[in-house]
């Protein structure tokens, strides 16, 4: 089985910073891409940031310049540094990975359970 576990969410004031962490564990042969999505109440889940095995990153305009995604040395971890947070960043943040489990052929999408980020004064 493959599991993604997030940590680091919480309550922060506007303009503050938070760092999210996610670790993938289990029978994993290879991880292609890791990243973060978020979902606010009443809204669809949206992309926040992704990073490939080679280190290429992708951000939507809404977070570009404020958020930074990175991979750990072990390559099964991904981090999201969030600076200059705004109330509109409030959402549940989900870790995501596209990976190939050991013994299976082909890539699959895996999700963490989510961590709440609330930006409020």
């Amino acid at each position: 089985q493959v599991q993604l576990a997030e940590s680091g969410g919480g309550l922060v004031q506007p303009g503050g910073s938070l760092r999210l962490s996610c670790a993938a564990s289990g029978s994993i042969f290879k991880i292609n891409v890791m990243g973060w999505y978020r979902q606010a109440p009443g809204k669809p889940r949206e992309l926040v940031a992704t990073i490939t095995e080679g280190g290429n990153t992708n951000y939507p305009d809404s977070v570009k310049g404020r958020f930074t995604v990175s991979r750990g040395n072990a390559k099964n971890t991904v981090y999201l540094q969030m600076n200059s947070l705004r109330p509109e960043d409030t959402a549940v943040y989900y870790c995501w990975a596209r990976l190939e489990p050991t013994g299976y052929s082909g890539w699959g999408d895996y999700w963490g359970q989510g961590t709440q980020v609330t930006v409020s004064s």
Side-chain angles (χ1 to χ4, degrees):
Q1 285 187 342
V2 174
Q3 291 185 326
L4 274 62
E6 305 107 332
S7 62
L11 173 65
V12 63
Q13 292 186 343
S17 298
L18 277 177
R19 178 177 166 92
L20 305 182
S21 301
C22 173
S25 62
S27 300
I28 300 170
F29 177 68
K30 188 175 183 180
I31 299 176
N32 183 17
V33 189
M34 295 189 79
W36 298 88
Y37 284 71
R38 68 186 180 187
Q39 188 166 20
K43 294 187 177 181
R45 192 171 295 190
E46 63 176 2
L47 169 72
V48 176
T50 60
I51 182 167
T52 68
E53 184 182 14
N56 294 318
T57 58
N58 182 44
Y59 305 93
D61 289 342
S62 59
V63 307
K64 197 172 293 183
R66 300 188 298 123
F67 291 9
T68 303
V69 62
S70 59
R71 297 276 290 267
N73 289 333
K75 300 300 182 183
N76 68 326
T77 55
V78 64
Y79 305 98
L80 184 67
Q81 178 66 43
M82 303 185 291
N83 298 328
S84 302
L85 282 161
R86 305 167 180 169
E88 54 263 38
D89 295 318
T90 296
V92 177
Y93 284 69
Y94 295 91
C95 179
W96 166 79
R98 178 159 293 166
L99 58 86
E100 185 172 351
T102 302
Y104 287 82
S105 178
W107 305 101
D109 289 332
Y110 291 81
W111 296 89
Q113 292 189 329
T115 184
Q116 177 70 45
V117 171
T118 302
V119 184
S120 175
S121 55

